[in-house]
Amino acid sequence: MTAKQKVLVVDDEPDILEMLKYNLEREGYDVQTASDGEMALRLAPQFLPDVILLDIMMPKLDGVETCRQLRTQTDLANAYIIFLTARSEEYSEIAAFEVGADDYLTKPIKPRALMSRINALFRRELKKSNQSAHDLVEIADLKIDKSSYTLEKNSELIALPKKEFELIYFLAQNPNKVYSREDILKHIWGQDVYVLARTVDVHIRRIREKIGDDYIRTVKGVGYKFVLPDEE
């Protein structure tokens, strides 16, 4: 019997927790809830959710800081984190992606639209898992293994959140090929996820902070490409 996909819902509004839990369970997901960030940090390592729905404005610990701390936990590196918030300002969205969010939805949440997005997310994951003939990419001193979602530099393991890993894996599969931000958004986030093109820049910067500036080049006015460190 196939295990149920797990979803952790974190929100300080009881009505939203109840509504989302009901709709997710009706779709067949295993659901747990938390009413604040601190509770989420205690629960997540035990529950090991596949998806975390995370409110931003919460008491004790806001969603941004909660996300930042969740992303430091190795067991949660592959979990999708989707922010649910009443705030729609661009800087809030950028702040969410800065700390490792995968998606961003504004309230009021429409249950059918949310279920459709989560279901599509798992369909994409299933499709990717069935296309695993070339899971390992080795270039220069980097070893990028899609089967285990791990990246090594000079045999040293470097932890990357899921979207950052998928981005560098995507670029590294075709060195020197230039991809626009729109190409990257389509391949990494999918056509049904609406995020800013600036999101790509944020993720590229975070990858460079971890592996260095030599692997991903910016092509001004176009996008990004993966190169060998010694290429000019």
Side-chain angles (χ1 to χ4, degrees), residues 139 142 144 168 171-177 179 211 215-217 224-229 231:
I139 298 180
L142 294 183
I144 309 169
I168 190 171
L171 294 178
Q173 285 181 302
N174 294 285
N176 293 314
K177 181 175 180 178
Y179 291 96
I211 68 170
Y215 303 92
I216 302 176
R217 295 280 177 85
Y224 296 98
K225 67 176 181 177
F226 189 95
V227 296
L228 296 177
E231 288 183 340

Side-chain angles (χ1 to χ4, degrees), residues 13-163:
E13 298 183 45
D15 290 347
I16 290 179
L17 287 180
E18 183 179 350
M19 179 269 289
L20 292 177
K21 188 174 190 293
Y22 169 78
N23 282 278
L24 285 162
E25 288 181 339
R26 191 171 64 175
E27 288 287 317
Y29 295 109
D30 183 4
V31 184
Q32 291 198 20
T33 63
S35 57
D36 59 63
E38 291 182 355
M39 184 177 179
L41 290 172
R42 293 193 300 269
L43 182 58
Q46 305 168 25
F47 184 47
L48 297 178
D50 300 290
V51 175
I52 301 172
L53 303 179
L54 183 61
D55 187 27
I56 286 186
M57 302 298 291
M58 295 186 295
K60 297 184 180 179
L61 199 66
D62 66 31
V64 172
E65 181 57 30
T66 301
C67 181
R68 189 193 310 278
Q69 294 189 35
L70 287 169
R71 284 304 189 205
T72 66
Q73 301 185 33
T74 305
D75 289 343
L76 300 172
N78 292 335
Y80 277 89
I81 297 181
I82 303 174
F83 274 122
L84 308 178
T85 179
R87 304 185 65 170
S88 58
E89 304 96 328
E90 180 177 325
Y91 73 84
S92 295
E93 183 170 348
I94 292 171
F97 290 116
E98 284 270 4
V99 293
D102 297 298
D103 202 353
Y104 186 103
L105 298 175
T106 55
K107 295 178 179 179
I109 301 301
K110 297 178 180 178
R112 289 183 64 183
L114 177 60
M115 296 308 115
S116 176
R117 183 165 295 193
I118 293 176
N119 290 337
L121 182 155
F122 284 121
R123 284 197 300 272
R124 289 199 303 274
E125 285 298 295
L126 179 61
K127 183 178 180 181
K128 290 176 184 177
S129 67
N130 292 332
Q131 297 175 339
S132 58
H134 305 287
D135 280 343
L136 182 62
V137 177
E138 295 186 82
I139 298 180
D141 55 1
L142 294 183
K143 181 178 179 181
I144 309 169
D145 190 347
K146 182 68 180 294
S147 65
S148 59
Y149 270 80
T150 57
L151 181 147
E152 295 180 13
K153 180 180 179 182
N154 291 321
S155 299
E156 180 182 350
L157 190 64
I158 297 175
L160 293 178
K162 193 164 191 172
K163 281 292 184 285

Side-chain angles (χ1 to χ4, degrees), residues 170-171 176-185 197-198 200-201 204 208 216-226:
F170 172 66
L171 294 178
N176 293 314
K177 181 175 180 178
V178 180
Y179 291 96
S180 68
R181 290 171 178 82
E182 290 71 24
D183 290 333
I184 294 171
L185 286 172
R198 170 85 181 275
V200 175
D201 302 334
I204 292 290
R208 285 170 170 164
I216 302 176
R217 295 280 177 85
T218 301
V219 181
K220 291 185 178 180
V222 184
Y224 296 98
K225 67 176 181 177
F226 189 95

